[in-house]
Amino acid sequence: MIRATSIIRREAVDQDRIVDVITLDHGDRHRRRILLNADGGTAFLLDLDKADVLEDGDAVLLDSGWLVEVKAAPERLVEIRTDDSLDLLTLAWHIGNRHVPAEITREAIYIGYDHVLVDMLVGLGARVEIVERPFRPVRGAYHHHEHGGHHHGHGHG
């Protein structure tokens, strides 16, 4: 079985070494070990030392030296907008208080579809629309790459 044991981040991917592409939703892009079949038929075992997030445009390095590029699959999301940036920040706080993964842009917030959250957001004055697009949520504050990040000294109980 072909193994992939490391992630090459999008900015370091050598396009000439890509032999296949794998399209994964947000949940499937956060893995440590799983058997995967790329879109073109390449079967491989993703076997990382620790769980990590495969971002759109990253690649996994096969033990053959070739790369399989990662594409974020379109997903059913809730697009959240307001006319006022302070209102959007307040909605972001409410979403974060529920520990819901969120993608934050200057104009909108995107979350996975959940009718209970949609009702809450509409009740708080948000304009919501159901959209299909790749989901790229903000990584958690306690996630760090091998190249950086920090540790903190308090717990979350």
Side-chain angles (χ1 to χ4, degrees):
M1 168 65 52
I2 300 171
R3 291 177 60 228
T5 57
S6 62
I7 300 169
I8 308 299
R9 296 298 171 193
R10 106 182 87 214
E11 56 276 356
V13 170
D14 178 355
Q15 296 294 318
D16 293 335
R17 292 175 49 203
I18 294 173
V19 294
D20 211 334
V21 174
I22 188 159
T23 306
L24 301 167
D25 67 19
H26 170 253
D28 283 337
R29 291 194 324 268
H30 187 248
R31 295 292 179 170
R32 186 190 83 73
R33 191 166 200 267
I34 186 173
L35 184 61
L36 294 169
N37 287 297
D39 302 351
T42 304
F44 63 96
L45 175 66
L46 180 67
D47 192 12
L48 303 174
D49 289 337
K50 60 183 184 213
D52 203 344
V53 176
L54 300 166
E55 301 287 359
D56 186 61
D58 287 349
V60 293
L61 176 61
L62 303 177
D63 50 16
S64 64
W66 295 104
L67 302 174
V68 174
E69 185 176 14
V70 176
K71 292 289 182 189
E75 300 181 52
R76 186 175 188 206
L77 303 176
V78 180
E79 179 183 82
I80 304 152
R81 294 182 179 265
T82 64
D83 292 326
D84 180 274
S85 59
L86 182 58
D87 291 341
L88 193 61
L89 288 171
T90 302
L91 293 171
W93 181 87
H94 283 285
I95 292 164
N97 196 41
R98 284 153 184 80
H99 298 274
V100 174
E103 179 180 345
I104 300 171
T105 69
R106 292 188 184 280
E107 300 82 27
I109 301 169
Y110 297 89
I111 62 172
Y113 178 78
D114 179 318
H115 74 279
V116 173
L117 289 177
V118 167
D119 291 346
M120 177 199 74
L121 293 162
V122 169
L124 291 169
R127 290 190 322 272
V128 300
E129 182 179 343
I130 309 306
V131 297
E132 287 278 329
R133 64 187 287 284
F135 188 34
R136 300 175 185 98
V138 174
R139 290 179 142 192
Y142 308 114
H143 174 86
H144 60 279
H145 285 313
E146 300 158 22
H147 307 294
H150 71 278
H151 298 280
H152 65 288
H154 67 273
H156 296 272

